[in-house]
């Protein structure tokens, strides 16, 4: 009977997880806390992973890592500061898109980013976990700490909010009538 393969050293396992998922955790942290704070969130996430290495799933560690990163963001930063940082980041992406891209998709990309910036933090997270971070719905549900069915319900609402934000952004602004100056009567 063949002997089972020995378990890899804890340091080797951690290094492999870090190398495989650092970029994804960083991207998630940028979308949740902005570039200024992303490095801190990532560092704390992998510190928790190191400390809780036996709890780190071997098969699919990314949802676990993103759930840890999410808790760190919620614990460390108030909702208003996070919202401002993400909105500033999205505005920067819009500005970059209008300068760097000359393709036809620039206007659409800018509209989507503007609409995303108008959404609540929770709606934006629901939409980006699958679209930007490549998770499947079950994994995204684990990150959010809810069932897959609950995730789908929330996703449906978030998509509706995004659709409404896109429609609002597409409506042309109506010109406001100029203020009419009424001459004051002279008191002579």
């Amino acid at each position: 009977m063949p002997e089972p393969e020995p378990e890899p050293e804890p340091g080797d396992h951690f290094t492999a997880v870090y190398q495989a998922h650092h970029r994804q955790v960083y991207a998630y942290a940028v979308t949740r806390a902005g570039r200024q704070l992303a490095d801190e969130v990532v560092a704390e996430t992998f510190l928790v992973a190191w400390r809780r290495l036996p709890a780190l799933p071997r098969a699919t560690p990314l949802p676990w890592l993103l759930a840890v990163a999410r808790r760190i963001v919620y614990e460390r930063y108030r909702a208003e500061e996070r919202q401002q940082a993400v909105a500033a980041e999205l505005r920067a992406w819009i500005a970059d898109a209008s300068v760097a891209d000359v393709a036809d998709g620039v206007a659409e990309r800018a509209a989507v980013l503007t609409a995303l910036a108008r959404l609540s933090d929770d709606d934006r997270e629901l939409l980006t976990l699958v679209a930007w971070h490549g998770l499947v719905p079950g994994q995204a549900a684990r990150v959010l700490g809810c069932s897959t069915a609950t995730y789908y319900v929330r996703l449906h609402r978030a998509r509706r909010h995004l659709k409404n934000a896109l429609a609002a952004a597409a409506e042309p602004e109506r010109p406001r009538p100029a203020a009419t100056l009424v001459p004051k009567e002279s008191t002579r």
Side-chain angles (χ1 to χ4, degrees):
M1 179 171 218
E3 290 185 28
E5 288 189 31
E7 288 285 319
E9 290 293 319
D12 294 339
H13 174 60
F14 176 80
T15 301
V17 169
Y18 181 86
Q19 289 174 344
H21 300 294
H22 178 269
R23 294 182 86 187
Q24 293 163 303
V25 173
Y26 180 79
Y28 177 81
V30 167
T31 62
R32 302 297 295 152
R35 285 184 185 171
Q36 306 87 347
L37 305 174
D39 287 327
E40 292 177 36
V41 172
V42 171
E44 286 186 46
T45 299
F46 282 102
L47 178 61
V48 169
W50 174 252
R51 288 180 179 161
R52 299 190 61 214
L53 196 56
L56 183 65
R58 289 198 176 266
T60 56
L62 183 61
W64 189 91
L65 291 168
L66 294 182
V68 169
R70 181 176 192 259
R71 282 190 294 278
I72 288 169
V73 169
Y74 275 115
E75 289 171 6
R76 210 145 164 222
Y77 308 106
R78 294 185 330 212
E80 184 178 333
E81 291 172 341
R82 229 177 23 256
Q83 184 76 14
Q84 290 172 357
V86 172
E89 188 67 32
L90 289 174
R91 282 192 300 274
W93 287 353
I94 292 168
D96 288 348
S98 62
V99 172
D101 292 338
V102 263
D104 293 336
V106 171
E108 183 177 333
R109 179 179 179 208
V112 169
L113 290 173
T114 301
L116 277 172
R118 291 179 179 166
L119 295 180
S120 72
D121 211 27
D122 291 337
D123 283 348
R124 188 171 38 254
E125 182 179 26
L126 280 161
L127 294 165
T128 60
L129 279 173
V130 172
W132 290 1
H133 301 296
L135 299 182
V136 296
Q139 292 172 329
R142 274 186 269 156
V143 170
L144 298 173
C146 65
S147 70
T148 304
T150 301
Y151 172 79
Y152 277 116
V153 170
R154 292 179 184 172
L155 181 63
H156 174 73
R157 288 184 197 139
R159 285 178 175 161
R160 189 176 64 231
H161 293 154
L162 178 62
K163 181 180 174 183
N164 293 341
L166 283 168
E171 289 179 7
E173 286 191 31
R174 294 186 182 108
R176 295 181 180 174
T180 308
L181 295 176
V182 178
K184 292 184 178 181
E185 292 186 24
S186 117
T187 55
R188 289 189 196 169

